[in-house]
Amino acid sequence: MPSSPAPQPQPLTPQDLRLSCRNGTHSTTTSLTTPTVQCNLLVLPSRYAPSFAQLCARNPVSCPLLYTTLPGSKTTPLASGANLATDLPKYNVYKDGKLLPEGDGIASVEEYWTEDHVGFLIGCSFTFEWALAAAGFPPKHMLCEPVRCVPMFRTVIPLFPAGEFTGGFLVVSMRAYKEGDVAEVRRITRAFGRQHGEPVAWGWDGAKLLGIEGKVREGLVDFGEWVGIDGDVGEVPVFWGCGVTPQVAVMESGIEGVAISHVPGCMFVTDVPVEEESSLKL
Amino acid sequence: MPSSPAPQPQPLTPQDLRLSCRNGTHSTTTSLTTPTVQCNLLVLPSRYAPSFAQLCARNPVSCPLLYTTLPGSKTTPLASGANLATDLPKYNVYKDGKLLPEGDGIASVEEYWTEDHVGFLIGCSFTFEWALAAAGFPPKHMLCEPVRCVPMFRTVIPLFPAGEFTGGFLVVSMRAYKEGDVAEVRRITRAFGRQHGEPVAWGWDGAKLLGIEGKVREGLVDFGEWVGIDGDVGEVPVFWGCGVTPQVAVMESGIEGVAISHVPGCMFVTDVPVEEESSLKL
């Protein structure tokens, strides 16, 4: 494993990157060199919009809601000229809470996003990774060649229900750090309150609290890619809330009709510089 | 069990009730006939105020923060002429996260509340009980003679940590309802978003999710009083977030110095009519 992030050819601006995703010439948004705010996407029939907003309000650590479109609109002031139905690398499409075989990891959801659909942008921990790296704590998945997607786990912690969203469990992203560095890592991400903020748990006791000790010890990720935890050098797992959580809520709650999400790790890249993240309203 | 709440001699106004609590002539705030917003109280050394506010923001279902005093102040605009250090029926005092033997259920905390202490008022489910009763769903503990305090359970669901608050578990209040009434009961309390809002779980599967099925089946409450669940008539447990949660966080996190709380079930009664609850800012 190299000691600094591997250089990657990347579009230089968020606009170029979104265009590359739209054209199918770029397929990941992990470890970008241009630090702007990244977002999780969930798209629902409008009748679910009030309950989903309430689900976010009741579960703000995993579901920090940053922006809600008008029904049928695929644009956002967070990203100039963006089309939310084409500018993410990959999408998932669900029908009645089940992932459609023909909607598994597709490049555009133009044909599924109707005039009745509402898009929700939710904060993402990719946003604070640049700050961790800048402070000398680059997540290990950024150091892999090629870079990997952060490992994610579905926990046994139930979401606080809201209206039709009666099912679902907290999903967490995991980054390994030395036990002695956890306090500083907590301090760094605390500032990113709209991007999951401080960790939700850490250490093996933390993994136990979340009901995922076995999966983490064996590297059995539910989403993303495994990168290892090196106990010999004192590394322990550190867990953050994750915006894949609403996807699980859609499936566990059996939300009727067509829903759309990003594919875990394939985010929407905004124009908002990470340093201006705190200007985003919750 | 009678079919309507047992009449109780009660002070008629919130002001009179607070004065009766101050004078030691009234000792409970459950099942009041004057429906005003009730609050949980937590008082901390000022250095913990930023982290506690963050704990509330990250755990808004159990810790909906309604008001924060200035350091040393024991007043609030929510209650005319009130003294937060004397006007609750009973208080608990903690030192370094441990309940003090001499501060267990005392009538005044004037001697513990220093110029450096900050008081936090947190929403309480007692506030929505009048609405449940008015809609024909009076909680069973209100129907007992004498009225009892709602049963409360400490769950295995960890709080989302914030700063020094690294420990703690969700506490829930429990009310038994017929399975067929749960949807309507959910709908009624949903409107009280600053008072724990909709239930967090219901039914025996819900009790399992919270890790408290055994305790609930056996009636082993952690706080409050047991009232029974009558399975023969189709009753199941319904659980709401509870403002005793911050007390557990203080103890589990080993918060240093002197902290103060209400005794579970012995709340701070405000002047705010329940119908105006939605005017309170979070």
Side-chain angles (χ1 to χ4, degrees):
Chain A
M1 191 163 292
S3 63
S4 64
Q8 275 214 309
Q10 284 183 7
L12 286 179
T13 71
Q15 292 86 346
D16 287 346
L17 188 123
R18 289 194 298 271
L19 205 59
S20 299
C21 293
R22 191 186 299 184
N23 298 337
T25 55
H26 195 82
S27 63
T28 176
T29 69
T30 188
S31 312
L32 296 183
T33 48
T34 309
T36 63
V37 170
Q38 297 197 27
C39 295
N40 299 271
L41 174 72
L42 193 73
V43 186
L44 294 167
S46 62
R47 68 183 176 281
Y48 291 114
S51 289
F52 186 72
Q54 197 183 8
L55 186 77
C56 293
R58 282 164 68 85
N59 299 277
V61 172
S62 55
C63 308
L65 185 55
L66 296 181
Y67 184 73
T68 306
T69 73
L70 290 173
S73 168
K74 302 164 191 165
T75 66
T76 170
L78 301 182
S80 172
N83 180 347
L84 290 169
T86 59
D87 292 3
L88 284 75
K90 280 184 265 181
Y91 299 85
N92 283 338
V93 181
Y94 311 82
K95 179 91 189 291
D96 299 340
K98 290 189 179 62
L99 182 61
L100 285 178
E102 67 271 29
D104 185 356
I106 58 179
S108 162
V109 287
E110 283 282 15
E111 66 176 300
Y112 295 100
W113 193 315
T114 71
E115 284 301 307
D116 182 53
H117 275 94
V118 174
F120 300 89
L121 293 175
I122 290 164
C124 174
S125 61
F126 285 9
T127 304
F128 63 58
E129 290 189 334
W130 76 274
L132 286 169
F137 301 102
K140 286 170 79 169
H141 62 273
M142 294 174 76
L143 305 180
C144 298
E145 286 191 71
V147 292
R148 296 190 197 159
C149 181
V150 68
M152 292 167 263
F153 297 92
R154 179 184 148 136
T155 74
V156 301
I157 307 299
L159 285 185
F160 293 118
E164 299 91 343
F165 294 87
T166 53
F169 294 88
L170 171 70
V171 176
V172 292
S173 62
M174 192 284 289
R175 295 163 186 82
Y177 285 104
K178 290 182 184 159
E179 201 153 6
D181 291 335
V182 170
E184 182 63 6
V185 163
R186 290 184 68 210
R187 193 193 62 75
I188 292 166
T189 69
R190 186 176 305 163
F192 293 85
R194 287 150 299 273
Q195 318 288 336
H196 309 302
E198 347 183 351
V200 299
W202 52 90
W204 290 107
D205 282 349
K208 243 180 246 175
L209 273 180
L210 301 176
I212 55 175
E213 187 192 4
K215 286 196 284 191
V216 179
R217 286 206 187 270
E218 292 173 43
L220 298 172
V221 302
D222 291 307
F223 311 97
E225 297 168 286
W226 184 237
V227 286
I229 299 171
D230 191 350
D232 291 345
V233 301
E235 284 182 355
V236 295
V238 183
F239 304 99
W240 281 265
C242 176
V244 173
T245 303
Q247 300 179 23
V248 174
V250 163
M251 292 189 281
E252 290 285 330
S253 306
I255 292 302
E256 291 178 5
V258 169
I260 301 165
S261 77
H262 69 289
V263 165
C266 299
M267 318 308 296
F268 178 65
V269 177
T270 74
D271 295 341
V272 181
V274 166
E275 314 87 71
E276 291 173 26
E277 180 271 346
S278 62
S279 67
L280 294 174
K281 296 276 193 313
L282 256 197
Chain B
M1 192 165 291
S3 62
S4 64
Q8 276 214 309
Q10 284 183 7
L12 286 178
T13 71
Q15 292 85 346
D16 287 346
L17 188 124
R18 291 194 298 270
L19 205 58
S20 298
C21 293
R22 191 186 298 183
N23 298 336
T25 55
H26 196 82
S27 62
T28 175
T29 68
T30 188
S31 312
L32 295 183
T33 48
T34 309
T36 63
V37 170
Q38 297 197 28
C39 295
N40 299 272
L41 174 71
L42 193 72
V43 186
L44 294 167
S46 62
R47 68 182 176 281
Y48 292 113
S51 289
F52 186 73
Q54 198 183 7
L55 186 78
C56 293
R58 283 165 65 86
N59 300 277
V61 172
S62 55
C63 308
L65 186 54
L66 297 180
Y67 184 74
T68 306
T69 73
L70 290 173
S73 168
K74 302 163 192 166
T75 66
T76 170
L78 302 182
S80 171
N83 179 346
L84 290 168
T86 59
D87 292 3
L88 284 74
K90 280 183 265 181
Y91 299 85
N92 284 338
V93 181
Y94 311 81
K95 179 90 189 290
D96 299 339
K98 290 191 179 61
L99 182 62
L100 285 178
E102 67 271 29
D104 184 358
I106 57 179
S108 162
V109 287
E110 283 282 17
E111 66 175 302
Y112 296 100
W113 192 315
T114 70
E115 284 301 308
D116 182 52
H117 275 94
V118 173
F120 299 89
L121 293 175
I122 290 163
C124 174
S125 60
F126 284 10
T127 304
F128 63 58
E129 290 189 335
W130 76 274
L132 287 169
F137 302 102
K140 287 169 79 169
H141 63 271
M142 295 173 76
L143 304 180
C144 298
E145 286 190 71
V147 294
R148 295 190 197 159
C149 182
V150 68
M152 292 167 264
F153 297 92
R154 180 184 149 138
T155 74
V156 301
I157 307 299
L159 285 184
F160 293 118
E164 298 91 343
F165 294 86
T166 53
F169 295 88
L170 171 71
V171 176
V172 292
S173 61
M174 192 283 289
R175 294 164 186 82
Y177 285 104
K178 290 182 185 157
E179 201 152 5
D181 291 336
V182 170
E184 181 64 5
V185 162
R186 288 185 68 211
R187 193 192 64 73
I188 292 166
T189 68
R190 185 175 306 163
F192 294 85
R194 288 150 297 274
Q195 318 288 336
H196 309 303
E198 345 183 354
V200 299
W202 51 91
W204 290 107
D205 282 349
K208 244 179 246 175
L209 273 179
L210 302 177
I212 55 175
E213 188 192 4
K215 284 196 286 190
V216 178
R217 286 208 187 269
E218 293 174 42
L220 297 172
V221 303
D222 291 308
F223 311 97
E225 297 169 285
W226 184 237
V227 286
I229 299 171
D230 191 350
D232 291 343
V233 301
E235 284 181 355
V236 295
V238 183
F239 304 99
W240 281 265
C242 176
V244 173
T245 302
Q247 301 179 23
V248 173
V250 163
M251 291 189 282
E252 291 285 330
S253 306
I255 293 301
E256 292 179 4
V258 169
I260 301 165
S261 77
H262 70 290
V263 165
C266 299
M267 318 309 294
F268 179 65
V269 177
T270 74
D271 296 342
V272 181
V274 166
E275 314 87 70
E276 291 175 25
E277 182 269 346
S278 62
S279 67
L280 295 174
K281 296 275 194 312
L282 256 196

